[in-house]
Amino acid sequence: MSVFVHFRKEEHAFVEQVMEWKEVVETKYERKLTDFLDPREQDILSSIVGKDETVHLSFWGGANGCERKRALLYPFYEKAEPEDFELTLFELKYPSKFVTIGHRDVLGSLTGLGLKRSKYGDILEGSGRFQFIAAKDIAIFIEMNLQKIGKASISLENIPLQQMLPIEDYWEEVQTTVSSFRLDVMIAEMYRLSRSKAAPFIEKGRVKVNWKSVDQVSFPLQPGDYVSVRGLGRRKLLHTEGKTKKGRWKISYGKKQDP
């Protein structure tokens, strides 16, 4: 059976990339360090490499609980250390008494530099402080070019990873039933909305599945899918467990509130 049957068509390109990485490590015994991967990409990579006897796999995003992580594929006789992931931690310095910035402002400014989202990891916030993780190979570029966020003039301080702001990574598991796996049905259940209220979120582009915008209310979810509704937090469909006597699907999903 082809490995592709386990993944959506739009994920096949990434699956092919993973298989190429794995082959390089298997045949040339060379390490492969990836860019930052979102949790769905991490899940795909883990499922393909699995517990391979030749190719080992580690993830690291700078601290326990980081969402976006780089992956390191390496020969079985080697070990992975934190420094192998080549991460840089920046803290923003700005006049917080006079200017207010938010997570979206930081993300928008990094995107405005022309950086791909895969080149930097989590953006952390706490008590008016902001930090973000970046790949070392673009650290100098960011230092030279990121001088403003929103209306605030900023400077960057390169600090040790040990000084990273604390990360909350708590998912509550919820068990319930649904009539189908349609996106509007699932969002209505996961976010405690009516279907009539769930549909506009989807149609207006406020819903992402596996970090990609989806505007079709009938889009079917699958176990392992991550769902986010702007402003309402994130969910993950964990398991499907058959049907009830009334023909409804029994499911488990994870619930996480964004900061």
Side-chain angles (χ1 to χ4, degrees):
M1 182 183 294
S2 170
V3 67
F4 294 103
V5 301
H6 301 292
F7 304 100
R8 287 198 173 92
K9 186 176 181 180
E10 58 267 27
E11 295 174 332
H12 287 183
F14 182 71
V15 171
E16 288 180 348
Q17 182 69 77
V18 169
M19 294 172 69
E20 289 176 8
W21 293 339
K22 184 171 181 285
E23 183 179 4
V24 168
V25 180
E26 284 177 331
T27 59
K28 297 184 178 180
Y29 295 97
E30 294 179 355
R31 289 182 166 206
K32 171 59 185 178
L33 178 62
T34 74
D35 285 338
F36 288 93
L37 306 176
D38 64 43
R40 175 57 180 170
E41 291 169 330
Q42 295 168 37
D43 289 348
I44 293 173
L45 180 51
S46 295
S47 69
I48 294 174
V49 175
K51 297 180 179 179
D52 193 281
E53 295 182 357
T54 304
V55 180
H56 285 192
L57 173 66
S58 294
F59 296 99
W60 188 239
N64 293 330
C66 282
E67 182 175 273
R68 302 183 67 85
K69 303 173 185 177
R70 301 187 83 174
L72 183 67
L73 294 82
Y74 53 97
F76 66 93
Y77 51 82
E78 295 186 358
K79 291 184 178 180
E81 302 293 344
E83 57 267 24
D84 296 331
F85 292 84
E86 300 180 8
L87 304 178
T88 298
L89 175 62
F90 286 114
E91 178 151 352
L92 302 181
K93 300 297 181 181
Y94 69 103
S96 56
K97 291 183 179 180
F98 307 103
V99 181
T100 300
I101 63 175
H103 184 283
R104 289 181 182 277
D105 299 315
V106 180
L107 179 62
S109 295
L110 289 168
T111 302
L113 295 180
L115 296 175
K116 293 181 179 179
R117 188 63 185 90
S118 59
K119 285 298 183 181
Y120 53 97
D122 286 12
I123 298 171
L124 309 171
E125 178 183 2
S127 301
R129 296 170 60 194
F130 285 90
Q131 299 175 348
F132 65 91
I133 305 286
K136 276 189 177 179
D137 60 352
I138 62 164
I140 293 178
F141 173 83
I142 292 176
E143 283 185 288
M144 293 178 61
N145 292 280
L146 188 60
Q147 300 173 352
K148 202 166 186 178
I149 292 181
K151 296 181 179 180
S153 295
I154 64 101
S155 61
L156 294 175
E157 182 180 354
N158 189 330
I159 62 175
L161 291 174
Q162 292 80 3
Q163 295 181 22
M164 187 183 296
L165 290 167
I167 300 171
E168 293 185 6
D169 187 40
Y170 174 71
W171 289 77
E172 175 188 355
E173 184 169 346
V174 180
Q175 296 179 331
T176 186
T177 63
V178 291
S179 59
S180 78
F181 298 113
R182 283 171 53 110
L183 186 56
D184 58 345
V185 172
M186 296 294 287
I187 284 180
E189 179 60 39
M190 289 175 167
Y191 292 90
R192 297 293 188 263
L193 302 169
S194 66
R195 282 182 67 179
S196 62
K197 289 186 177 180
F201 280 108
I202 302 168
E203 294 165 348
K204 293 179 180 179
R206 297 183 63 182
V207 174
K208 290 185 177 181
V209 177
N210 299 328
W211 285 265
K212 294 179 176 61
S213 294
V214 175
D215 59 8
Q216 299 174 350
V217 295
S218 61
F219 184 88
L221 291 188
Q222 300 175 359
D225 283 343
Y226 292 82
V227 181
S228 63
V229 177
R230 191 183 307 162
L232 298 182
R234 188 167 300 152
R235 307 289 186 265
K236 180 182 180 182
L237 179 56
L238 300 172
H239 309 288
T240 60
E241 302 165 3
K243 286 187 173 183
T244 66
K245 292 181 179 179
K246 294 184 177 180
R248 292 175 63 84
W249 291 95
K250 293 183 287 185
I251 66 167
S252 297
Y253 67 89
K255 176 182 178 182
K256 181 179 182 181
Q257 284 298 128
D258 286 340

